Amino acid sequence: MHILITGGAGFIGTHLTRRLLARGDTVSILDNLSTGNLDNIREFTGHPLYSFAIDTLDNPLVLDRLASQADAIFHLAAAVGVQLVVERPTETIETNVLGTHAVLRAARRYRCRTIIASTSEVYGKGIKIPFSEEDDLLLGSSARSRWSYAASKLLDEFLGLAAYREFGLPVTIVRFFNTVGPGQTGRYGMVVPRFVRQAIHGEPITVYGDGEQSRCFCHVQDTVRALEFLLDRPDSTVGEIYNIGTNHEVTINELAHEVIARSASSSSLRHVPYSEAYAPGFEDMRRRVPDITKIRQAVGWQPSRTLNEILDDVITYERQRLDSVAVA
Ligand code: UDP
């Protein structure tokens, strides 16, 4: 199959590219390198089944050409990371909504199977745990820019499902729950790479709020396997939304202690108020647990890697990165 990955130079895109190339698919990446990185994709250079275009989704000619060659599109390009969203809300909304609009227009022209990345953020402040795909969604006030991310991704979901219903485009929506693993940048607030880097350097671990908020962390290789399963089973999965994540819940305090223990670090915890970490009035999600029954029943996927395996992989990766910077 020929597959186009928008945002392919990003964290999940890189892992997905590696997996698809390994099984013999042809992969084209379209990425504007805003949060993606050339270092991430250097390993693919020269691969006979791989090509790469640096461009934005608002270049219709490039997007059209790439879509015309593709059987399927993974639309992963998005403004992600809570910090980025709080700092640059206009960019977030425009990138997410206009980008998805452009991808769907091109996909419709060539009838491409399209898998659109959404996020667990769309569940917002929902209190019914675990979150399942048919649940009502509870977002905060539009006066708080954090919610622009969820709202923009929600609009992406609506656009994708509308293209399916109105034009028969084979679209599937995936909601990622805290995907982590080697290669993720901590630049935009993601907690695991930040904690691991702080621990390796013996710096204080910056736990936001009281640290009793919880998350479920999914290894990116499990996430990518789920994407592969969905790609391969269009008959049962088009027009549907799927949660992708684990249901092993951990508080951020527990995560911090686990990172310290597994990296044999001398760091201690430093609790930072949300107002200092993000912005005054920032609202965090207290708990976020996916119900993954739907994807398990549809394609037989379930995550296989534990939190300890995730942390060990990230610690190894970050140590190697540090060593290579030191040598250079
Ligand atoms: N967090 C933290 N310290 C950091 C970065 C994040 O305590 O240096 C917290 C953040 O407030 C949230 C959780 O870790 O409660 C997960 O944050 P992340 O940005 O990784 O993902 P989110 O679940 O917010 O999308």
Side-chain angles (χ1 to χ4, degrees):
M1 241 190 295
H2 188 139
I3 293 159
L4 168 62
I5 306 179
T6 72
F11 166 55
I12 298 175
T14 312
H15 285 270
L16 182 62
T17 300
R18 192 178 300 117
R19 187 165 186 106
L20 295 175
L21 287 175
R23 69 178 212 170
D25 289 317
T26 300
V27 178
S28 305
I29 284 180
L30 175 61
D31 199 300
N32 68 355
L33 300 180
S34 56
T35 52
N37 190 319
L38 273 183
D39 290 339
N40 287 347
I41 50 173
R42 196 153 285 137
E43 68 180 87
F44 308 126
T45 308
H47 193 296
L49 299 177
Y50 167 76
S51 62
F52 173 53
I54 303 178
D55 218 319
T56 55
L57 293 170
D58 56 17
N59 184 335
L61 293 180
V62 170
L63 186 55
D64 187 85
R65 177 176 57 78
L66 292 172
S68 73
Q69 298 160 348
D71 302 301
I73 302 175
F74 282 101
H75 176 41
L76 307 183
V80 291
V82 172
Q83 208 164 306
L84 181 72
V85 169
V86 170
E87 283 167 11
R88 309 211 294 259
T90 304
E91 184 184 322
T92 304
I93 299 164
E94 291 183 358
T95 303
N96 293 351
V97 177
L98 302 180
T100 301
H101 170 70
V103 167
L104 286 168
R105 299 262 307 219
R108 270 171 55 192
R109 226 168 284 133
Y110 301 102
R111 314 272 335 139
C112 300
R113 165 104 170 97
T114 306
I115 297 178
I116 299 177
S118 184
T119 167
S120 55
E121 278 269 326
V122 300
Y123 291 104
K125 302 194 274 189
I127 48 168
K128 186 191 137 293
I129 300 285
F131 296 147
S132 70
E133 292 85 346
E134 297 296 316
D135 287 349
D136 291 340
L137 306 172
L138 184 63
L139 302 190
S141 161
S142 57
R144 302 190 194 285
S145 56
R146 173 214 177 114
W147 300 108
S148 64
Y149 177 51
S152 66
K153 293 309 291 184
L154 200 53
L155 201 51
D156 290 353
E157 293 191 9
F158 279 122
L159 282 171
L161 294 174
Y164 166 70
R165 289 193 192 114
E166 265 187 275
F167 309 110
L169 190 71
V171 172
T172 301
I173 310 290
V174 291
R175 292 179 178 162
F176 294 135
F177 281 69
N178 292 85
T179 307
V180 293
Q184 187 174 35
T185 168
R187 221 177 335 146
Y188 303 103
M190 277 76 174
V191 68
V192 170
R194 285 173 63 87
F195 280 9
V196 168
R197 282 179 207 178
Q198 289 165 340
I200 289 175
H201 289 100
E203 293 165 1
I205 308 285
T206 54
V207 174
Y208 298 163
D210 66 3
E212 288 304 300
Q213 70 273 30
S214 69
R215 295 292 186 270
C216 300
F217 295 98
C218 186
H219 197 298
V220 64
Q221 279 167 19
D222 279 329
T223 303
V224 160
R225 195 163 45 85
L227 295 177
E228 190 186 354
F229 282 14
L230 292 170
L231 174 70
D232 291 343
R233 299 278 297 277
D235 293 348
S236 54
T237 61
V238 297
E240 298 291 340
I241 303 171
Y242 294 98
N243 289 338
I244 299 181
T246 76
N247 39 29
H248 173 73
E249 196 176 0
V250 61
T251 69
I252 301 304
N253 283 328
E254 288 165 348
L255 176 73
H257 288 297
E258 205 58 60
V259 168
I260 290 171
R262 300 200 78 79
S263 59
S265 166
S266 58
S267 295
S268 52
L269 271 55
R270 182 163 75 85
H271 286 89
V272 181
Y274 284 118
S275 55
E276 207 178 292
Y278 296 110
F282 180 83
E283 292 177 321
D284 198 11
M285 256 81 99
R286 211 53 193 166
R287 295 179 69 192
R288 190 195 270 163
V289 184
D291 182 338
I292 49 174
T293 312
K294 186 172 172 184
I295 187 166
R296 195 178 54 234
Q297 288 177 346
V299 297
W301 176 85
Q302 58 184 18
S304 65
R305 290 172 175 81
T306 63
L307 181 63
N308 284 347
E309 288 174 89
I310 293 173
L311 295 182
D312 290 348
D313 279 3
V314 176
I315 291 165
T316 304
Y317 171 84
E318 292 295 342
R319 286 212 169 107
Q320 281 168 354
R321 206 178 59 94
L322 211 59
D323 289 347
S324 63
V325 171
V327 168

